[in-house]
Amino acid sequence: MRIFLMASLVFCCVNSKAQSIPTNTGSNFKASDAKIFLDHHNKVRAQVGVEKLTWSSSLSNYAQSWANELAAKKCKIKHSECRDETGRVLGENIFWGSSSTFYGTLDASKSWYEEKADYNGKPIEATRGKMVGHYTQMVWKYTREVGAGVAYCPSGAIIVVASYYPAGNIVRAVPY
């Protein structure tokens, strides 16, 4: 009994590791919003049995820079080069909401998750992936880190950019 109890305690401690978010998130995300955003991503990933993501301040910094650039260009949505300063290829999701009063940072993650309804479980194909690519990037089994940035457009709209490493959505591969 004592061995079982000890093994149970070790298992619980190992698997209940809290996701810590630094006070300086690397972006305009408040630490509390970053935690909610990350928790939502990890809840979605748990549904398909893939490992949790960790928050990356450096990815957040990259995402914030791109969100700022898009906001400065009247929020015309366009993907970045998806390469950080070291040349690593990144995955990227972008969300635009018409009103920052109505939409928040979590709405980005929720909207990407809604694409799950259209995902058929098959390998990513160039045309099919475009309809589910935000969702499949969220749950990509080899992705380990996420960071996000938020900016506000002159019109009052919100833009959220998430950067992922390693990138997902590899054509002819399955996300999980």
Side-chain angles (χ1 to χ4, degrees):
M1 179 66 171
R2 189 179 281 180
I3 293 172
F4 175 75
L5 181 59
M6 185 66 115
S8 296
L9 286 172
V10 169
F11 179 78
C12 288
C13 293
V14 168
N15 289 312
S16 66
K17 182 174 86 174
Q19 294 293 312
S20 62
I21 304 291
T23 304
N24 179 0
T25 63
S27 70
N28 289 342
F29 263 68
K30 291 186 267 182
S32 58
D33 290 338
K35 179 166 179 14
I36 292 167
F37 186 87
L38 179 63
D39 287 348
H40 184 260
H41 268 62
N42 285 333
K43 178 180 172 187
V44 169
R45 292 173 66 85
Q47 291 173 356
V48 296
V50 296
E51 288 183 36
K52 290 180 177 183
L53 296 174
T54 58
W55 186 265
S56 166
S57 294
S58 65
L59 289 177
S60 295
N61 187 277
Y62 181 88
Q64 185 63 53
S65 293
W66 190 245
N68 291 344
E69 189 167 328
L70 293 176
K73 294 179 178 177
K74 299 183 181 176
C75 281
K76 292 188 179 178
I77 304 303
K78 176 184 165 189
H79 281 284
S80 71
E81 292 181 15
C82 297
R83 287 187 186 272
D84 68 9
E85 68 280 351
T86 65
R88 298 184 309 171
V89 176
L90 308 176
E92 184 172 76
N93 282 346
I94 301 174
F95 170 84
W96 174 87
S98 59
S99 169
S100 59
T101 307
F102 186 74
Y103 295 102
T105 54
L106 182 59
D107 291 306
S109 189
K110 287 180 175 179
S111 76
W112 301 329
Y113 172 68
E114 288 175 4
E115 293 178 3
K116 179 182 181 179
D118 296 323
Y119 180 60
N120 60 12
K122 295 184 179 175
I124 301 295
E125 299 300 332
T127 56
R128 182 75 176 136
K130 290 180 182 173
M131 296 163 37
V132 298
H134 299 103
Y135 167 70
T136 54
Q137 176 57 80
M138 285 178 77
V139 298
W140 201 262
K141 64 185 165 193
Y142 297 117
T143 299
R144 295 288 173 252
E145 299 175 73
V146 65
V150 59
Y152 303 95
C153 307
S155 65
I158 184 175
I159 190 147
V160 178
V161 176
S163 298
Y164 301 85
Y165 183 78
N169 290 334
I170 309 301
V171 176
R172 292 186 290 283
V174 293
Y176 49 86

